[in-house]
């Protein structure tokens, strides 16, 4: 499209970001807490996958940073979820 070549793993990354964005949009109009919970679970799963891919040497530092960010964001939400 823009002559940018992505590896399959970066396509996975952008697909994940789009999926989480759709969950956020649905959460605006529907039950926000339920969809925030779904988003945190999706972030835990994909963050773990990104960490595994980094340790296998398949993706670079960007994947590691995204994985760490997603896991920490999801854990913060799940820890403080009962207080919301």
């Amino acid at each position: 499209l823009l002559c940018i070549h992505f590896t399959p793993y970066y396509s996975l990354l952008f697909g994940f970001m789009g999926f989480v964005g759709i969950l956020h949009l649905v959460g605006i109009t529907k039950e926000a807490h339920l969809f925030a919970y779904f988003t945190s679970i999706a972030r835990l799963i994909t963050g773990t996958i990104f960490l595994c891919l980094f340790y296998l040497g398949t993706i670079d530092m960007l994947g590691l940073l995204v994985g760490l960010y997603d896991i920490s964001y999801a854990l913060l939400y799940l820890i403080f979820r009962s207080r919301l």
Side-chain angles (χ1 to χ4, degrees):
L1 186 65
L2 297 173
C3 297
I4 301 173
H5 302 286
F6 293 111
T7 65
Y9 301 105
Y10 285 120
S11 299
L12 174 71
L13 170 69
F14 291 121
F16 159 72
M17 290 169 52
F19 172 70
V20 171
I22 290 170
L23 284 178
H24 284 295
L25 286 175
V26 173
I28 290 172
T29 60
K30 305 287 182 192
E31 297 183 30
H33 291 290
L34 178 65
F35 280 94
Y37 177 74
F38 289 158
T39 301
S40 65
I41 297 300
R43 285 181 179 270
L44 281 176
I45 292 169
T46 54
T48 305
I49 291 170
F50 286 135
L51 290 179
C52 293
L53 289 173
F54 175 77
Y55 287 118
L56 289 173
T58 309
I59 57 176
D60 57 4
M61 188 63 74
L62 177 63
L64 176 66
L65 293 176
V66 168
L68 289 175
Y69 173 78
D70 285 336
I71 289 173
S72 62
Y73 186 83
L75 286 178
L76 280 174
Y77 174 76
L78 291 174
I79 289 170
F80 295 109
R81 180 176 178 224
S82 63
R83 297 180 186 167
L84 297 175

